[in-house]
Amino acid sequence: MAELRPSGAPGPTAPPAPGPNAPPAFASLFPPGLHAIYGECRRLYPDQPNPLQVTAIVKYWLGGPDPLDYVSMYRNVGSPSANIPEHWHYISFGLSDLYGDSRVHEFTGTDGPSGFGFELTFRLKRETGESAPPTWPAELMQGLARYVFQSENTFCSGDHVSWHSPLDNSESRIQHMLLTEDPQMQPVQTPFGVVTFLQIVGVCTEELHAAQQWNGQGILELLRTVPVAGGPWLITDMRRGETIFEIDPHLQERVDKGIETDGSNLSGVSAKCAWDDLSRPPEDDEDSRSICIGTQPRRLSGKDTEQIRETLRRGLEINSKPVLPPINPQRQNGFTHDRAPSRKDSLESDSSTAIIPHELIRTRQLESVHLKFNQESGALIPLCLRGRLLHGRHFTYKSITGDMAITFVSTGVEGAFATEEHPYAAHGPWLQILLTEEFVEKMLEDLEDLTSPEEVSLFDSL
């Protein structure tokens, strides 16, 4: 539950925001991380010292359901001469470390990220006659924050979020999100690390698909060129009834050319998927072709998890040489600048606690495999083939229903354990499939119907 009140209103857990010249005694009582972010808000909105604020009644660290302690809401006048309309500006507090006492986030030093290293923002076009900001964006931000806290995966600029529902629960076509740097909020150095600000941008389904087929940054740049679709500051208008491709059909040509030239930078998804090894019969009635070592089910080891996570991050680098990090104790290079690291292995389930030592899991070459995807996941196969493998890259499906992963690799990917001689190979529950360019072209012909998934009716058995 949450309640709405001015940030300066009295309350047991929501003290007023201190100004830069606040008395030392008062500042010492104010959470330092919160104080630092408020300072950036006050720099941007000096005339709004006490904005309306949605606050969690029961804080997350006291057992409440909402990870964000507060969401502040400011009125931004925009700049009509620059095609920036008046709008409401929402800013979250809680993904970063506000307190520094480990009640929510572990303190790791001042040089690294504070908490998850970012806060969310959102810019919503103000409707004529609207005197107060709608509060539904605060719940939207709480939903994204719950995902981050539960998965311990972080967001970065260019990421997309498939929401599959109008963001405000109306009949709007704005049903998905992209993420980008907030155009006004500057990174903040707090006593507990650095905080950046990622802005949520509402998009239509067609724009989401374009971001998947090409890349999020490219679509964000196109949105900036269309005032009614976001403009320079990427302001979301829930009343927008047309996609950028309907507003300006020439933009589709730019996307098509970008896909042809760059391919897709979407290197993997969490999905409903599974695979069976058809090279051997089930070991018993309960096996159902599951992968086992003795009586223990095989799970993604820490090394496999780390490699897949690194694979997904590196796939975001459009112009980088495609490399799968090797499976060995030697880690390469660390994290890229394109994606902040998660604090937990993003592909490791809560129950996957080093049941099997990594070195005891041998890589197996398989003769044949059976892949299973639900409709939404299967509809991404053409993207995987055309946007990734034909550009010498890789694509990973990580099961959301079990500890299993499927990675398709092309012949140009280094470090893969699947080879042209043995194109189907498994390391524990991680399957790699190497596809030659000729085979990819043949698959694209066979899967032509999946390019229009709305016209396809598939039985979903997962």
Side-chain angles (χ1 to χ4, degrees):
M1 291 183 62
E3 64 177 342
L4 175 67
R5 62 177 173 222
S7 61
T13 57
N21 300 316
F26 182 87
S28 66
L29 297 175
F30 199 78
L34 193 63
H35 188 186
I37 298 174
Y38 265 132
E40 175 62 12
C41 296
R42 294 287 289 273
R43 179 192 68 81
L44 197 59
Y45 298 104
D47 59 336
Q48 300 179 59
N50 296 307
L52 284 175
Q53 192 174 71
V54 176
T55 179
I57 296 177
V58 180
K59 296 296 183 279
Y60 193 69
W61 38 275
L62 293 176
D66 299 323
L68 301 177
D69 282 12
Y70 315 104
V71 175
S72 289
M73 302 175 288
Y74 295 89
R75 185 168 178 169
N76 192 305
V77 297
S79 176
S81 61
N83 288 319
I84 300 172
E86 188 172 359
H87 59 278
W88 304 110
H89 193 192
Y90 301 76
I91 301 168
S92 76
F93 296 81
L95 284 161
S96 63
D97 191 351
L98 305 179
Y99 304 97
D101 56 8
S102 299
R103 72 179 72 180
V104 179
H105 300 282
E106 180 182 354
F107 175 64
T108 58
T110 59
D111 295 334
S114 169
F116 288 105
F118 69 96
E119 294 289 352
L120 293 170
T121 73
F122 182 62
R123 295 175 185 268
L124 178 67
K125 183 180 178 182
R126 177 178 173 269
E127 300 295 337
T128 302
E130 204 169 47
S131 59
T135 58
W136 63 261
E139 180 53 37
L140 181 73
M141 297 165 86
Q142 290 283 14
L144 292 177
R146 290 186 199 104
Y147 164 78
V148 173
F149 271 81
Q150 290 166 10
S151 68
E152 296 198 353
N153 295 330
T154 56
F155 291 125
C156 71
S157 180
D159 279 354
H160 71 268
V161 179
S162 303
W163 200 250
H164 301 291
S165 176
L167 303 188
D168 61 351
N169 294 316
S170 67
E171 300 298 319
S172 175
R173 292 185 69 178
I174 308 300
Q175 302 187 10
H176 308 280
M177 292 167 273
L178 298 178
L179 291 162
T180 187
E181 297 92 349
D182 189 286
Q184 290 186 294
M185 301 288 287
Q186 299 297 316
V188 173
Q189 177 67 59
T190 80
F192 315 126
V194 178
V195 181
T196 60
F197 297 90
L198 284 178
Q199 180 176 314
I200 300 165
V201 182
V203 296
C204 301
T205 299
E206 295 84 351
E207 293 154 359
L208 172 79
H209 289 166
Q212 292 174 330
Q213 297 288 338
W214 184 24
N215 63 77
Q217 296 290 6
I219 300 305
L220 288 166
E221 286 304 315
L222 296 185
L223 289 166
R224 289 186 177 96
T225 68
V226 182
V228 297
W233 288 3
L234 294 170
I235 297 165
T236 298
D237 181 1
M238 294 303 298
R239 293 180 179 270
R240 175 161 68 96
E242 295 181 301
T243 71
I244 57 174
F245 309 115
E246 293 167 337
I247 296 170
D248 184 354
H250 292 96
L251 296 181
Q252 184 63 57
E253 298 175 7
R254 293 177 59 179
V255 173
D256 293 340
K257 184 173 180 57
I259 295 173
E260 180 182 352
T261 303
D262 305 326
S264 171
N265 75 339
L266 179 65
S267 61
V269 292
S270 296
K272 287 187 177 181
C273 64
W275 66 273
D276 291 333
D277 175 9
L278 300 186
S279 306
R280 64 179 178 85
E283 295 181 2
D284 51 52
D285 292 340
E286 296 182 356
D287 181 14
S288 185
R289 289 200 172 97
S290 62
I291 302 171
C292 297
I293 294 181
T295 59
Q296 293 274 23
R298 289 187 177 180
R299 298 185 181 276
L300 289 176
S301 69
K303 291 293 190 299
D304 282 333
T305 294
E306 180 64 21
Q307 181 177 357
I308 298 174
R309 185 180 66 169
E310 197 79 358
T311 294
L312 299 185
R313 279 198 304 272
R314 293 190 178 199
L316 292 174
E317 297 185 14
I318 298 175
N319 297 315
S320 67
K321 186 175 183 180
V323 176
L324 281 169
I327 300 179
N328 60 44
Q330 307 293 324
R331 278 203 59 193
Q332 291 186 345
N333 298 330
F335 301 114
T336 71
H337 295 293
D338 292 298
R339 195 170 190 67
S342 65
R343 299 188 302 180
K344 167 180 139 182
D345 289 336
S346 60
L347 297 177
E348 180 179 356
S349 68
D350 293 334
S351 61
S352 180
T353 54
I355 294 176
I356 304 166
H358 178 271
E359 55 272 14
L360 296 183
I361 304 177
R362 65 184 180 86
T363 299
R364 298 179 299 119
Q365 285 76 44
L366 313 178
E367 295 179 6
S368 59
V369 293
H370 179 204
L371 308 181
K372 294 180 285 187
F373 301 92
N374 72 337
Q375 182 173 347
E376 183 177 4
S377 303
L380 291 175
I381 293 177
L383 179 155
C384 161
L385 300 176
R386 181 177 291 109
R388 298 293 299 177
L389 270 64
L390 285 184
H391 289 265
R393 299 175 188 158
H394 47 78
F395 191 89
T396 295
Y397 287 93
K398 169 61 180 71
S399 173
I400 60 175
T401 58
D403 209 7
M404 184 176 290
I406 303 167
T407 296
F408 293 92
V409 299
S410 66
T411 53
V413 175
E414 298 179 358
F417 50 79
T419 64
E420 291 191 61
E421 183 180 1
H422 300 288
Y424 313 137
H427 195 86
W430 184 13
L431 173 69
Q432 285 188 10
I433 299 177
L434 186 144
L435 301 177
T436 64
E437 183 175 343
E438 180 181 3
F439 195 79
V440 169
E441 295 285 6
K442 178 64 168 60
M443 286 185 66
L444 285 171
E445 292 180 11
D446 295 340
L447 297 173
E448 184 63 32
D449 289 341
L450 284 179
T451 58
S452 301
E454 66 278 358
E455 301 175 4
V456 180
S457 178
L458 298 178
F459 176 72
D460 182 358
S461 61
L462 294 180

